[in-house]
Amino acid sequence: MADYEPNVNAGRVASLYRYPVKGFTPERIASTELTAGNYFPCDRLYAVENGPSGFDPAAAAFVPKTRFTVLAQIPKVALARTAYDEGTGVLTVTATGTEPFTGDLRTEEGKASFATWLSHFLDPGDQRGPLKVLTAPPHRFTDSPQGFISVVNLDSVRDLEIKLGRPIDPLRFRANVYVGGWPAWSELNLAPAARVRLGTAATEVVKSIRRCVATHVSPQTGERDIEILNALREFYGHVYCGVYLKVTGSASVNEGDTAEFFN
């Protein structure tokens, strides 16, 4: 891991993203409200079960992402472009060569209709059983049971780009918050509970994010075209990029806000 100056490192919030349906299209937002103890707003509200997952909405608990239709298992998911209206619950999905879908995911009919649309769109070999749209508020389908908010350092991604000798779309890492201006890889040296301030929102580090083969998939083409894990191992000796945070002090966060960590 790279050396860096201790104490305070200041950067800025470059962009904010939410993922209403786990595994599907990131939605960029200009600002959001972070609440102490809660997840990133409108993030991973839904997931699509790929065959029986063992998830019980009446006793919602963490289920590994491999039980769902996610990029790590099904790269073609990237080609289904989704947009979610938080106010109405309506999901719109488009894909080349396929009739678009529109349905209210707050209703059983809407969830069933989306599952049917997706079953026709995905290849049969990628489906381990019936598809089913799951939701159980306030539960969120995050990759980690403690992964409340994910943050990626754009300077770390750029450092990997330079070493790899090709562009890397930061959206491969599917973060909620992208930060610019922190020294490359400095975020991985933060200890658990280290303080991070996003705008005026106070957060603490939970842990570094261990990456998977979802990062190999191009968000544009839906193809596995860069072996990110092998590159991380080769150049840095690990497979981490980004950190999970938990919110300890409520506040709004906006693109362009200061992003500071204290160590």
Side-chain angles (χ1 to χ4, degrees):
M1 300 179 189
D3 294 330
Y4 64 98
E5 293 298 321
N7 302 318
V8 180
N9 280 277
R12 67 177 184 87
V13 175
S15 56
L16 300 165
Y17 286 89
R18 67 184 194 182
Y19 306 78
V21 183
K22 183 178 182 66
F24 288 84
T25 307
E27 298 182 358
R28 189 169 183 172
I29 54 177
S31 64
T32 194
E33 293 286 333
L34 298 184
T35 305
N38 286 339
Y39 291 95
F40 195 86
C42 201
D43 190 59
R44 278 84 173 185
L45 294 172
Y46 303 92
V48 182
E49 181 182 66
N50 189 8
S53 68
F55 181 78
D56 180 2
F62 174 77
V63 172
K65 63 185 174 184
T66 53
R67 310 283 178 85
F68 305 118
T69 55
V70 293
L71 294 171
Q73 303 288 317
I74 310 173
K76 191 177 181 180
V77 165
L79 301 182
R81 313 295 185 183
T82 58
Y84 182 70
D85 187 320
E86 185 178 2
T88 65
V90 171
L91 180 74
T92 302
V93 192
T94 58
T96 301
T98 302
E99 287 294 319
F101 167 82
T102 300
D104 186 350
L105 294 191
R106 298 175 304 181
T107 68
E108 292 304 315
E109 179 183 6
K111 292 195 286 283
S113 295
F114 177 44
T116 297
W117 182 93
L118 194 59
S119 69
H120 293 302
F121 173 72
L122 296 179
D123 297 331
D126 287 328
Q127 300 177 51
R128 298 193 297 265
L131 304 184
K132 183 179 181 181
V133 179
L134 303 176
T135 188
H139 179 78
R140 302 298 184 89
F141 296 94
T142 53
D143 284 353
S144 165
Q146 296 179 312
F148 291 89
I149 295 173
S150 56
V151 178
V152 160
N153 179 2
L154 291 173
D155 288 69
S156 300
V157 178
R158 293 190 187 103
D159 187 66
L160 180 58
E161 278 186 331
I162 292 168
K163 287 182 167 57
L164 196 58
R166 61 181 298 181
I168 299 172
D169 187 341
L171 291 181
R172 287 175 183 264
F173 298 97
R174 299 181 65 79
N176 298 125
V177 183
Y178 289 92
V179 172
W182 289 352
W185 306 109
S186 57
E187 70 282 4
L188 298 189
N189 291 302
L190 293 173
R195 293 179 297 135
V196 179
R197 189 170 294 278
L198 304 173
T200 57
T203 73
E204 291 182 355
V205 172
V206 175
K207 63 178 181 178
S208 298
I209 303 174
R210 184 181 181 89
R211 291 300 170 179
C212 71
V213 293
T215 58
H216 294 194
V217 180
S218 165
Q220 286 74 40
T221 67
E223 297 177 348
R224 291 190 177 113
D225 60 354
I226 303 179
E227 294 190 353
I228 295 290
L229 296 185
N230 288 345
L232 288 171
R233 290 190 188 98
E234 177 182 355
F235 299 124
Y236 309 106
H238 63 74
V239 291
Y240 296 93
C241 184
V243 290
Y244 286 125
L245 305 178
K246 65 178 179 181
V247 183
T248 57
S250 306
S252 63
V253 179
N254 310 282
E255 287 190 358
D257 280 354
T258 299
E260 299 177 309
F261 66 72
F262 308 83
N263 58 306

